[in-house]
Amino acid sequence: MLLLLLSRLAQGLVVLFAVTLLTFALLGAAGGDAVSAVYEDPRIPAESLERLRAIHGLDRPFHVRYARWMGGALRGDLGQSFYFQTPVAALLAPRLARTLALGAASLLISLAVACALGVAAARRRGSWVDKLSAGVELTASSTPRIVLALVALVVAARWSLFESSGAGGAGAALMRFALAAVVLAVPLVAIFLAQVRDGLGEALREDFVQLARAKGLSERVVLVRHASRAALNPVITVFGFSLGSLLSGSVIVETVLGWPGVGQLSVVAVRARDVPLLMGIVLAASLAVLVGNLVADVLLRLNDPRVRVAESK
């Protein structure tokens, strides 16, 4: 297990370096900068803009600017946001916490719905539950998040959920959080449901499950102790990759529903061409995805001894 952690850590460092370097290069090739975005005023002379670029180091070559940013990032200093005039780390920390909380809630919702429907469908193939789960899977996978977010916004406006959800702003914030979590969870329901439904259905037909039944074990024991562990592997694997989907989907959902997270902040950063802020967001998102994949690898090996045996050979 220790070798696995060290290997994944080394791979993660390489991936982080490649992602940040590519992002920095693409932002530089896109043209423009934070100074021209903030001070696009014909009354400001070009000499003043050049002085501002020199002050912020925007006139330096690409490799110098990237090395300066990377050196600061290694020390925990992500620079200062041009648009907000605030340290990126201080600006990003509360936003990232809100987005991660939103992602955790959506994961719990999607797993709960997928497991409930998937287990019922796998045990009763061809029944109305199986057909219902297939319909839910198709609908959830084919509906874009922006459509779901707009529907949630219409429902909230129709029933005045943001205005009548409690005294002050706490009730409205909780309602925004709940709606955003449900919207983010819907596409994940389709992914997890497909894995649970198909994986558990195949596991229930395996010889070791039939042997457990022949021993007189109850259906609940057979399902929980034998079949479910064999069906969990694809679910755990998908879980590791779902963080990237959550972070990309949060851009749309947070912007439409007004949830103050990293997704909403990234839209502001792109519009303002705020390179330090964008780089901080990319770094935080990459770290979250890498940690999610690492957790999935560990859970996969703890759940399935065959993986550990195969690695030891």
Side-chain angles (χ1 to χ4, degrees):
M1 189 67 73
L2 180 60
L3 291 177
L4 169 68
L5 294 176
L6 293 176
S7 174
R8 292 293 185 268
L9 179 60
Q11 294 175 13
L13 292 176
V14 173
V15 171
L16 281 178
F17 173 75
V19 168
T20 56
L21 180 61
L22 180 60
T23 303
F24 206 92
L26 290 175
L27 290 174
D33 51 45
V35 172
S36 59
V38 177
Y39 298 100
E40 285 181 347
D41 190 335
R43 295 172 296 181
I44 299 178
E47 294 79 7
S48 300
L49 295 178
E50 292 303 323
R51 282 198 300 271
L52 286 170
R53 291 191 179 96
I55 291 172
H56 293 289
L58 299 176
D59 60 337
R60 298 180 183 180
F62 163 79
H63 65 279
V64 175
R65 287 184 284 117
Y66 178 76
R68 182 181 179 185
W69 177 85
M70 178 58 75
L74 292 174
R75 298 190 303 271
D77 180 14
L78 299 178
Q80 177 133 336
S81 168
F82 294 129
Y83 184 80
F84 293 99
Q85 292 299 305
T86 304
V88 171
L91 186 65
L92 195 58
R95 299 270 189 155
L96 182 61
R98 296 188 191 104
T99 296
L100 290 178
L102 191 64
S106 62
L107 277 174
L108 290 175
I109 293 171
S110 59
L111 283 172
V113 174
C115 289
L117 282 176
V119 170
R123 294 178 62 186
R124 300 175 180 87
R125 284 290 189 177
S127 65
W128 68 269
V129 179
D130 189 22
K131 295 176 182 178
L132 174 63
S133 65
V136 170
E137 181 183 332
L138 177 62
T139 303
S141 62
S142 59
T143 307
R145 276 198 176 100
I146 188 169
V147 174
L148 296 171
L150 290 173
V151 169
L153 189 63
V154 170
V155 170
R158 174 67 178 82
W159 298 98
S160 303
L161 298 180
F162 295 157
E163 290 78 11
S164 61
S165 51
L174 182 60
M175 186 57 62
R176 290 181 192 276
F177 176 83
L179 288 175
V182 170
V183 171
L184 276 176
V186 170
L188 293 179
V189 168
I191 299 174
F192 288 132
L193 179 56
Q195 300 298 328
V196 173
R197 181 167 167 260
D198 296 337
L200 189 59
E202 292 179 3
L204 288 173
R205 293 190 293 269
E206 292 288 343
D207 293 338
F208 68 91
V209 173
Q210 302 302 327
L211 179 61
R213 284 172 173 163
K215 290 180 178 179
L217 298 177
S218 66
E219 190 66 19
R220 180 179 179 182
V221 173
V222 170
L223 184 66
V224 174
R225 293 187 180 179
H226 299 276
S228 62
R229 291 193 67 180
L232 273 179
N233 285 352
V235 177
I236 293 173
T237 302
V238 171
F239 163 78
F241 293 102
S242 63
L243 282 178
S245 174
L246 283 173
L247 291 173
S248 61
S250 69
V251 176
I252 296 173
V253 175
E254 291 180 0
T255 302
V256 173
L257 294 177
W259 180 251
V262 172
Q264 189 185 70
L265 185 64
S266 64
V267 175
V268 177
V270 170
R271 288 177 177 174
R273 304 176 205 173
D274 194 335
V275 173
L277 182 55
L278 276 172
M279 291 300 299
I281 292 172
V282 169
L283 181 61
S286 300
L287 280 172
V289 173
L290 290 174
V291 170
N293 289 332
L294 179 59
V295 172
D297 285 335
V298 172
L299 291 176
L300 188 62
R301 282 150 184 82
L302 292 176
N303 177 69
D304 194 345
R306 294 172 298 178
V307 178
R308 297 196 299 270
V309 172
E311 287 183 344
S312 62
K313 292 182 179 179

